[in-house]
Amino acid sequence: MTPPPLPSVPDKTIKADQADPPEVTLMQLTAIDEADSLGLPIPCRAFDPEVFFAETPADVEYAKSLCGTCPVKAACLTGALERREPWGVWGGELFVQGVVVARKRPRGRPRKTEVMA
């Protein structure tokens, strides 16, 4: 006599492409809408988005400087921290692997001795 088959359990794992997208908070939408309605310039909408995902340290610093006068800088940074943005410049800060870092390291091996700036 064979035992009855075990009931199958549906697979509840969520693949990365099936996960729900991060929600945009009302504060973020309100800040962007207010800035748009007042005609305030939002740098990430005025410049090429590639600027905010640059590879070279100089380009990253340029992108961070563009955020300096942005009217939605605080809301942008808050949202990026909540979503743990993997990389790019958000709210005037550089994100690498979901955390804020002070500056982007150049490509290649680090120098053995510090360079005087």
Side-chain angles (χ1 to χ4, degrees), residues 78-103:
T78 301
L81 288 168
E82 288 173 359
R83 293 186 307 272
R84 293 188 47 97
E85 285 292 340
W87 68 295
V89 175
W90 298 88
E93 299 292 337
L94 174 63
F95 282 74
V96 176
Q97 297 180 352
V99 295
V100 175
V101 296
R103 69 185 97 111

Side-chain angles (χ1 to χ4, degrees), residues 3-4 6 38-39 57 66 74 86 91 105 108 110 115:
L6 295 173
L38 294 173
L66 292 175
R105 290 180 48 196
V115 176

Side-chain angles (χ1 to χ4, degrees), residues 1 3 11 24 39 43 45 77 84 87 91 100 107-108:
M1 183 175 224
D11 185 18
V24 176
R45 292 190 173 185
L77 180 59
R84 293 188 47 97
W87 68 295
V100 175
R107 294 181 68 190

Side-chain angles (χ1 to χ4, degrees), residues 7-77:
S8 65
V9 178
D11 185 18
K12 295 209 182 236
T13 58
I14 298 175
K15 296 178 182 166
D17 60 341
Q18 294 175 335
D20 292 333
E23 293 183 18
V24 176
T25 65
L26 184 58
M27 180 182 83
Q28 291 168 305
L29 288 176
T30 304
I32 292 172
D33 287 342
E34 284 178 15
D36 279 342
S37 68
L38 294 173
L40 299 173
I42 300 175
C44 59
R45 292 190 173 185
F47 289 86
D48 182 14
E50 293 294 318
V51 170
F52 300 94
F53 298 95
E55 290 293 325
T56 64
D59 291 342
V60 169
E61 292 304 315
Y62 173 68
K64 288 168 66 173
S65 72
L66 292 175
C67 295
T69 60
C70 183
V72 294
K73 180 179 175 180
C76 178
L77 180 59

